[in-house]
Amino acid sequence: MTEEVKKTTEDEMPDWSEYRGVLVYVEHREGVAKPISWQLLGQGRRLAEKLNADVMALVIGDNVGKLAEEAIAFGADRVFQVDSPTMHDYRTYPYSRAAMKVIHDAKPEIVLFGATATGRDLAGAIATHLPTGLTADCTQLDVEPDPSRLLLASRPAFSEKMMATILCKQYRPQMATARAGVFEALPRDPSRRGEIVHVDYTMAEEAVAAKVLDFIREESTVNIEEAEIIVAGGRGLGSAEGFKLLQELADELGGEVGASRACVDVGWINHHHQIGQTGYTVRPKLYFAFGISGAVQHVVGMQNSDMIIAVNRDPEAPIFKIAHYGIVGDLYEIVPAMIEEARKRKADAASGKGSKTEAEGGVRV
Amino acid sequence: MLHIVVSVKQVPDSREIRIDPKTSTLVRIGVPAIVNFYDLHGLEEALVLKEKYGGRVTVISMGPPPAEKALKQCISLGADEAVLITDRAFAGADTLATSYVLAEAIKKVEETWGPVDIVFTGKQTLDGDTGQVGPGIACRLDIEQLTYVSKVTGYNGETKRVTVQRKLEDGVEVVETKTPVLMTALKELNKPRRAPMPGMLRAAQYKPIVWTTADFPNLDRSKIGLKGSPTIVGKTWVPEIKAADTQMLDGDTKVKVGTLFDKIWETELPARFGWDHAANGKGA
Ligand SMILES: Cc1cc2nc3c(=O)[nH]c(=O)nc-3n(C[C@H](O)[C@H](O)[C@H](O)COP(=O)(O)OP(=O)(O)OC[C@H]3O[C@@H](n4cnc5c(N)ncnc54)[C@H](O)[C@@H]3O)c2cc1C
Ligand SMILES: Cc1cc2nc3c(=O)[nH]c(=O)nc-3n(C[C@H](O)[C@H](O)[C@H](O)COP(=O)(O)OP(=O)(O)OC[C@H]3O[C@@H](n4cnc5c(N)ncnc54)[C@H](O)[C@@H]3O)c2cc1C
């Protein structure tokens, strides 16, 4: 394969000057965007700036005008809105045909989707039809500036043990799906200006074989993706009971409880709490890892946290390599002490005894 | 009567793959090759449907000759026929080229054994891990696609429609569509059986049917192998987990925890969450 790579690098690239800009597919449920949509719009904007081109959003649904406006607030220069009752539920056939029409007309050089069930379903169909190359589940997205304007789509391989950059030189657009939680959304700015293009596209309901009969939303009380504080536990908890203790600390701090896969696999906690390669990728301000060894598949999901605090009995545990603060000890001793300390500090502050922050002149918000 | 095709890939057991710390390359030697486990869930569902509605199950795989072993395993579990699609010209394929060849193979399966009602693939593989081949095959055959299927709840032989549950990140979708349909299997779909003794005996004797490029006279050579693959693997590297400047906290539990909270209190968090002044315990 290496030989071939060298050869194509030296090949002349076809003239792609008709294709300009980055298009981001805005995934949503009932008009509410998935966090990945705005994250990709943020990253799309960064790429577009390097290419000196526009970032565009694609919104498909039924009555999604509000969402199209939101896309502008989150960074889109132009939004293509496909709005029709047939598009109420995501279904591969009508969505892929609508998206292909927009791609044909707008000619973006890059199209990005979330590496979610829907994003992969849709991108896989579109890339085959166009046809073009599609890179899966990227965790890094960059571009080469003019003249190549190549998308450098990098993705983990072999259970995160390796990274590979995938290129698509001979086809346009270049397409990729990208992992949620890795890229940063731009701050929402309702004063940002952009254009909404109403795409004239309809498909008769009779032309669509698939019928969505029901959607049973999984009641999830966790919002680990957007939590600013995560109190995570691993196999070191020893039992499902351990999570009750972590919940207490999380409640005290206003955070959410996270978990390693080991705990999810044995059924101590459900998958919505799982951090890592096959769970959520998160970047909170504060991440506690209690009884988590620090396997690479876990670490890839939390290494970008602002502050990582690890508590582990084993001083050699790999988690300490990436932690900012480490405590060697039994979590069943440390966690209760933390709960107590947090309560005490907050109580002191509330009763006006003056916390350290105040004594030092800390800023209030 | 249903004719079901199950597409299976033989993959290295990625849990066993190690990186040579000296050369930063993958150590694949001695890594066992297994049937991609999602594909076994697809096969199991095919077998269950066959038991219920009658019909046949044909298994196909594209890969080098050792992939025969994966096909024999499928025969031992109860598949009727197994086809290995193998040719050096197919090597180096990305998902676009892979789905082209597999779709052509399914057309040939139809010519040989009759129309296909359902195609199963796995949700994704353990090695390439893209989940793109299933949708790719469905597009090329111009049939319906139902990805991430966690349950097949019904099949109506008269209307030729299937109802399934799809497991998505935020819930379960119940969806119905017409056949022919391609479904991608999740592990929630079922629990694969163990090979029964008669199956094992049959597999021991069985030689998978082999199709090479010569068996596809109308194959478009520009769409297969490396040439037919728009994506190119460029640079590969071993990701470095960025080591932090770790500060280990010493002392007894009380001291350690106290020091830690001093550190936390130096950040913007107490102000942000109102820990430093608010009586509203739970923060903003
Ligand atoms: C394809 C693939 C995908 C994967 N995806 C993920 C993923 O998304 N997320 C994920 O987390 N993992 C994932 N894994 C699994 C990963 O490889 C590890 O097996 C897993 O993260 C280990 O979980 P753990 O750290 O909780 O358990 P262990 O590795 O068993 O670590 C337990 C730790 O607890 C410590 N300990 C024990 N008792 C105490 C105590 N009383 N006090 C303090 N410390 C204690 C021990 O010293 C040890 O370090 C994946 C693996 C594969 C192959
Ligand atoms: C490190 C690395 C990164 C790669 N990244 C990309 C990428 O981003 N984009 C891209 O297009 N290609 C990529 N490839 C190439 C891709 O892995 C191959 O095309 C592979 O043959 C099929 O893709 P997959 O393993 O991802 O299959 P998936 O799409 O994950 O497989 C889904 C299902 O399709 C069926 N299936 C897949 N392959 C076969 C087969 N050979 N025979 C029978 N059934 C099969 C199985 O039922 C399987 O469960 C990459 C390869 C490597 C080594």
Side-chain angles (χ1 to χ4, degrees), chain A residues 134-136 155 157-158 164 166, chain B residues 7-9 36 39 60-62 93-96 98 102 121-125 127-134 231 233:
Chain A
L134 173 60
T135 305
R155 54 175 307 224
F158 304 107
I166 313 282
Chain B
S7 192
V8 306
K9 187 182 182 189
N36 185 48
D39 306 0
I60 61 170
S61 183
M62 180 180 90
D94 74 354
T95 57
L96 195 70
T98 300
L102 291 174
T121 72
K123 164 202 165 197
Q124 62 190 52
T125 61
D127 60 345
D129 200 7
T130 65
Q132 291 169 190
V133 170
T231 64
V233 180

Side-chain angles (χ1 to χ4, degrees), chain A residues 12-84:
Chain A
E12 291 262 323
M13 296 234 299
D15 177 19
W16 296 122
S17 53
E18 256 190 283
Y19 289 81
R20 282 294 179 266
V22 180
L23 179 68
V24 173
Y25 173 67
V26 177
E27 185 179 339
H28 64 97
R29 168 87 52 205
E30 300 285 343
V32 180
K34 297 286 170 70
I36 178 68
S37 304
W38 305 148
Q39 291 161 8
L40 279 183
L41 215 42
Q43 187 64 13
R45 169 121 236 133
R46 280 165 219 125
L47 301 181
E49 270 161 21
K50 283 196 187 177
L51 294 168
N52 207 354
D54 286 348
V55 59
M56 300 166 275
L58 171 57
V59 173
I60 306 177
D62 179 16
N63 234 324
V64 283
K66 274 254 154 32
L67 188 60
E69 284 167 26
E70 279 298 288
I72 293 174
F74 278 102
D77 297 311
R78 200 171 318 117
V79 183
F80 295 94
Q81 182 186 339
V82 182
D83 212 311
S84 123

